[in-house]
């Protein structure tokens, strides 16, 4: 062989001569008699590249081959005195692969008979494992040296990578899988410690374990990828902490976003009390939590994307409280104090702990942190706007947000104005004077209109609240206009917009149109989200005196709750807590609505049965006590009815229907102009100015007084009652 390869000085002349003989044999194909050297290799490209010192692909002159190849060959020669056919191909294939000749490398690797050498490799590594475990020298020599095993397994890995480079992903995965099958069969309980540390074997194993699931993903074989990830994590491969963390992260990301549902893992060493994930999201959450725990224990470096993915997983599973716990356990310095408080506030708000979230935001907005933090200002205003007791603070915070914006961004200015409008609307309900209430309502409309202009009719939340505010003020045409715009903008994806539109139409006494809207919403909504729509549909049927249809709809709803309850019992109690509470509240309302239908039909026994079902759900309900009083009132038992209404007011002193009904029953008991009647009705109107029953009965009270001034007041009350009744929806807009 005419080669320019120069052996590094300092090596023995014998070793250098051996390498030259090997390279000569690889190129000439000669097999030296008596030495069991390698037979001829018939890869022209390989011969050309290894013999001439030139790359056939680029023409670049290779001054000398990889020193690692020579050292590998020398190691094999020291142990066995020769390279056999497969080892030579492995060495030559690696040489071609390192030069970038992937097709030539694959051609060389395909000449290796994997099936023929598998048993020898397994025997060799099994004996090596026994020697490591028992620390004894009395073992039969293995058929192959560990350097030869390492060389051949690396060849299988490089073959898989060559196939990957050529786009043959399924074949690449099958090739890579061979490595893990060999090792797992040889060591069912996992690789011994320090196994393959004295050669490249451990490096090859690590690369194969990481590569296999990626190849299955590229081959669009999701289930095989999932099984490969679990195999990588559940079997002992002697992986370092960073490698294991990378695999866990990639697996969790795949589970979370791939869209392929995995069957639950079968954990062989699982204890009875161990948590076993039931679906992709639970398994992904478990993996991300393990990674965060490793960060806390300083086993791996901090990776902010772990928290990002975990946040998404826990949010879609509805357990932001658990996310708060994970964030609180992070070591100091991982998150800035302001960022930490804001993240925790989001978590607690998602978990329904609004006051806790607000207190955290107040810390962010304190003088020692960032009093001008726009995200904190907007979120704090939103939380305050959902609570009558905090609406004044929400108004103040929204004004601060607008001041800090200073016309920098129309979209954010629109959001701030929307939050201001919502807070003012809620704040108006606590006003004692009519003028004050009117002023706040006008300011709310003004802020929402400003938000609409800033967002150019592109923010559905702004349009929804603007429609809602106009509806509450009985400006139904404007309310209908913005509700339709909002529905179109959302593409029918939001149930509350469908409901608002149907309620506005019902307030216009367009019951058939309203029912059509509900039916359209039912067609576009999943069965688990139809409860409120069905409840509204039943009330629309009642408004049209179609009691039979209403009862059938309520029966459908109750059957829905029964099926849902069974699914909750099978699910995670912690994750389904909010859904369970919502379903219980809605079920209570349905039994009460059904009881009212039976009362109107004078079916006392059926009404009592409904109230009994309601009591089994919640014995402490002002609404149930009120309907019990209505049942007695319908029977003409006014004293018993009054006791029911009083019981409701003991539970909830501001229960408006009970305030009105108490006044009505007292009048029926012969106290036409009793001051208590006026007190009850005025309290009801202070709480709800749109209650037409309260206005009507207040008119009757003034009429009973018989004075000229009281008759004038009675007329005003009757006019207000008529207007409000004509524009009353089948259920409250909000």
């Amino acid at each position: 062989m005419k080669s320019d390869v120069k052996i590094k000085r300092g090596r023995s002349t014998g070793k250098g001569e051996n390498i030259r003989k090997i390279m000569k044999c690889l190129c000439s194909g000669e097999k030296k008699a008596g030495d069991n050297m390698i037979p001829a290799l018939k890869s022209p490209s390989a011969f050309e590249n290894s013999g001439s010192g030139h790359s056939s692909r680029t023409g670049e002159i290779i001054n000398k081959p990889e020193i690692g190849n020579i050292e590998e060959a020398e190691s094999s020669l020291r142990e066995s005195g020769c390279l056999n056919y497969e080892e030579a191909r492995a060495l030559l294939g690696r040489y071609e692969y390192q030069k970038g000749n992937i097709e030539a490398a694959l051609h060389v690797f395909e000449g290796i008979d994997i099936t023929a050498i598998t048993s020898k490799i397994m025997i060799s590594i099994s004996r090596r494992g026994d020697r490591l475990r028992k620390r004894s020298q009395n073992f039969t020599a293995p058929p192959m040296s560990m350097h030869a095993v390492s060389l051949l397994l690396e060849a299988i890995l490089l073959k898989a990578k060559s196939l990957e480079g050529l786009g043959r992903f399924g074949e690449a995965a099958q090739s890579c899988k061979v490595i893990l099958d060999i090792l797992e069969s040889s060591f069912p309980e996992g690789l011994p410690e320090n196994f393959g540390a004295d050669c490249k074997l451990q490096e090859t194993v690590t690369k194969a374990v990481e590569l296999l699931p990626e190849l299955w993903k590229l081959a669009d074989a999701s289930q095989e990828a999932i099984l490969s990830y679990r195999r990588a994590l559940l079997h002992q491969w002697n992986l370092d902490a960073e490698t294991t963390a990378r695999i866990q992260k990639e697996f969790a990301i795949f589970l979370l976003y791939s869209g392929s549902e995995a069957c639950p893992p079968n954990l062989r060493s699982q204890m009875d009390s161990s948590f076993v994930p039931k679906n992709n999201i639970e398994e992904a959450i478990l993996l991300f939590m393990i990674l965060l725990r490793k960060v806390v224990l300083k086993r791996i470096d901090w990776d902010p994307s772990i928290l990002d993915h975990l946040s998404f997983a826990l949010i879609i599973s509805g357990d932001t409280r658990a996310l708060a716990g994970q964030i609180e356990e992070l070591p100091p310095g991982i998150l800035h104090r302001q960022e930490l408080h804001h993240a925790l506030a989001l978590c607690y708000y998602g978990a329904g702990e609004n006051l806790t979230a607000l207190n955290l935001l107040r810390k962010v907005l304190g003088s020692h942190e960032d009093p001008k933090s726009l995200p904190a200002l907007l979120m704090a205003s939103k939380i305050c706007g959902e609570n009558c007791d905090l609406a004044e603070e929400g108004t103040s915070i929204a004004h601060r947000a607008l001041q800090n914006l200073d016309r920098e961004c129309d979209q954010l200015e629109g959001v701030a104005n929307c939050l201001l409008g919502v807070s003012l609307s809620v704040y108006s309900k606590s006003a004692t004077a009519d003028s004050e209430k009117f002023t706040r309502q006008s300011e709310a409309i003004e802020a929402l209109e400003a938000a609409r202009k800033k967002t150019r009719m592109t923010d559905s939340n702004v349009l929804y609240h603007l429609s809602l505010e106009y509806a509450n003020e009985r400006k139904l045409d404007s309310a209908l206009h913005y509700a339709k715009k909002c529905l179109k903008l959302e593409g029918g994806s939001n149930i509350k917009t469908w409901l608002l539109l149907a309620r506005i139409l019902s307030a216009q006494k367009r019951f058939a149109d309203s029912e059509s809207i509900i039916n359209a919403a039912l067609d576009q909504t999943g069965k688990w989200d139809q409860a409120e729509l069905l409840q509204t549909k039943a009330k629309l049927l009642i408004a049209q005196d179609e009691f039979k249809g209403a009862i059938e709809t309520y029966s459908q709803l109750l059957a829905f709750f029964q099926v849902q309850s069974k699914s909750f019992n099978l699910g995670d109690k912690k994750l389904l807590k909010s859904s369970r509470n919502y379903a219980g509240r809605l079920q209570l309302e349905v039994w009460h609505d059904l009881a009212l239908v039976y009362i109107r039909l004078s079916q006392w026994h059926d009404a009592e049965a409904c109230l009994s079902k309601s009591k089994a759900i919640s014995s402490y309900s002002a609404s149930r006590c009120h309907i019990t009083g209505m049942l007695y009132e319908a029977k003409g038992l006014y004293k018993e009815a009054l006791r029911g209404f009083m019981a409701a007011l003991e539970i909830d002193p501001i229960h408006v229907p009970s305030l009105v009904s108490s006044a009505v029953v007292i009048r029926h008991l012969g106290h036409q102009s009793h001051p208590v009647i006026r007190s009850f009705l005025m309290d009801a109107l202070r709480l709800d100015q749109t209650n037409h029953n309260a206005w009507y009965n207040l008119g009757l009270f003034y009429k009973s007084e018989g004075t000229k001034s009281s008759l004038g007041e009675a007329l005003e009350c009757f006019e207000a009652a008529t207007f409000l009744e004509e524009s009353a929806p089948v259920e409250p807009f909000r």
Side-chain angles (χ1 to χ4, degrees), residues 226-247:
I226 289 168
L227 292 174
S228 297
Y229 274 124
R230 288 176 179 163
R231 184 183 194 182
L233 296 174
L234 296 175
H235 196 77
Q236 176 63 37
W237 302 107
N238 288 345
L239 306 177
D240 59 77
E242 291 295 334
T243 302
T244 303
R246 277 198 307 273
I247 295 172

Side-chain angles (χ1 to χ4, degrees), residues 514-534:
S514 181
E515 190 177 347
S516 297
I517 289 294
I518 293 296
N519 288 333
L522 288 168
D523 290 339
Q524 297 188 37
T525 308
K527 288 188 176 181
W528 292 114
D529 299 319
Q530 292 182 350
E532 283 187 282
L533 294 169
L534 289 171

Side-chain angles (χ1 to χ4, degrees), residues 637-652:
L637 304 172
Y638 297 120
K639 289 184 179 179
E640 289 80 357
L642 185 58
R643 279 196 289 269
F645 299 142
M646 290 295 106
L649 290 172
E650 285 179 8
I651 296 172
D652 183 6

Side-chain angles (χ1 to χ4, degrees), residues 103-155:
E103 291 185 9
L106 180 61
H107 184 72
V108 175
F109 289 136
E110 285 177 338
I112 300 174
D113 189 349
I114 304 297
T115 306
I117 63 173
T118 297
S119 58
K120 292 181 181 179
I121 294 175
M122 291 176 63
I123 294 170
S124 299
I125 60 179
S126 295
R127 289 183 182 175
R128 171 62 178 263
D130 292 340
R131 187 181 306 173
L132 288 172
R133 282 193 297 267
K134 299 182 180 180
R135 306 291 181 185
S136 172
Q137 302 298 323
N138 299 324
F139 282 92
T140 309
M144 300 175 71
S145 70
M146 287 308 296
H147 286 284
V149 169
S150 176
L151 185 64
L152 291 169
L153 290 181
E154 184 192 28

Side-chain angles (χ1 to χ4, degrees), residues 259-302:
S260 176
E261 190 62 36
C263 56
N266 181 18
L267 305 179
R268 293 174 297 177
S269 58
Q270 170 196 329
M271 298 175 64
D272 292 338
S273 59
S274 301
F275 170 75
V276 179
K278 303 179 184 66
N279 52 50
N280 284 24
I281 294 176
E282 287 189 4
E283 192 168 1
I285 289 171
L286 179 62
L287 288 165
F288 284 128
M289 284 185 168
I290 290 171
L291 287 168
L292 272 187
R293 174 58 55 186
K294 289 181 177 180
V295 171
V296 172
L297 297 174
K298 298 182 179 179
R299 293 178 183 172
I300 59 173
D301 295 332
W302 165 243

Side-chain angles (χ1 to χ4, degrees), residues 157-417:
L157 176 66
L158 293 178
K159 178 184 177 182
K161 296 183 80 169
S162 300
L163 289 165
E164 178 192 8
L166 296 172
R168 295 158 63 179
F169 304 120
E171 294 175 63
Q174 292 292 353
S175 178
C176 187
K177 184 174 178 288
V178 169
I179 300 172
L180 305 189
D181 288 342
I182 290 172
L183 292 168
E184 199 169 40
S185 298
S186 303
F187 302 110
E189 300 302 320
L191 271 64
E193 288 187 23
N194 300 320
F195 180 76
D198 54 344
C199 57
K200 293 179 66 176
L201 182 57
Q202 183 59 56
E203 181 184 342
T204 301
V205 172
T206 300
K207 289 180 179 178
V209 170
E210 278 196 271
L211 180 63
L212 182 57
E214 299 301 322
L215 292 173
W216 284 127
K217 287 194 295 186
L218 290 170
D220 199 22
S222 300
Q223 292 302 319
E224 286 80 1
I226 289 168
L227 292 174
S228 297
Y229 274 124
R230 288 176 179 163
R231 184 183 194 182
L233 296 174
L234 296 175
H235 196 77
Q236 176 63 37
W237 302 107
N238 288 345
L239 306 177
D240 59 77
E242 291 295 334
T243 302
T244 303
R246 277 198 307 273
I247 295 172
Q248 288 172 330
K249 179 185 170 184
E250 291 302 319
F251 184 27
I253 290 172
F254 184 73
L255 288 168
L256 201 54
Y257 305 111
S258 68
S260 176
E261 190 62 36
C263 56
N266 181 18
L267 305 179
R268 293 174 297 177
S269 58
Q270 170 196 329
M271 298 175 64
D272 292 338
S273 59
S274 301
F275 170 75
V276 179
K278 303 179 184 66
N279 52 50
N280 284 24
I281 294 176
E282 287 189 4
E283 192 168 1
I285 289 171
L286 179 62
L287 288 165
F288 284 128
M289 284 185 168
I290 290 171
L291 287 168
L292 272 187
R293 174 58 55 186
K294 289 181 177 180
V295 171
V296 172
L297 297 174
K298 298 182 179 179
R299 293 178 183 172
I300 59 173
D301 295 332
W302 165 243
D303 180 355
S305 67
I306 294 173
L307 186 58
D308 294 339
H309 293 303
L310 178 60
S311 300
F312 175 74
L314 286 171
I315 286 167
I316 62 175
S317 69
D319 196 6
T320 55
R321 184 65 182 80
L323 177 59
Q326 292 297 311
I327 293 174
E328 286 170 344
E329 289 181 4
L330 290 175
I334 292 290
L335 294 178
H336 187 272
R337 181 180 173 85
Q338 178 186 336
E339 186 183 0
L340 175 66
H341 285 156
H342 193 262
L344 288 173
L346 286 168
C347 293
Y348 284 114
Y349 177 71
E353 299 180 37
N354 292 7
L355 290 179
T356 304
L358 183 59
N359 287 331
L360 286 163
L361 292 170
R362 284 168 177 160
K363 290 182 179 180
V364 175
L365 297 171
S367 58
H368 296 295
E369 290 197 24
D370 188 1
K372 294 185 178 182
S373 172
L374 192 60
L377 286 168
L378 294 176
M379 187 178 174
S381 178
K382 177 178 174 61
I383 293 172
C384 291
E386 296 172 359
N387 189 325
C388 289
D389 298 330
L390 299 169
E392 184 178 6
E393 183 181 356
T395 302
S396 174
I397 293 172
H399 278 302
R400 284 173 58 187
L402 285 168
Q403 290 169 1
N404 290 329
L405 274 167
D406 195 24
R407 302 182 183 277
E408 290 180 2
C409 174
D410 285 350
Q411 194 67 32
L412 286 176
E413 196 171 340
V415 172
N417 271 305

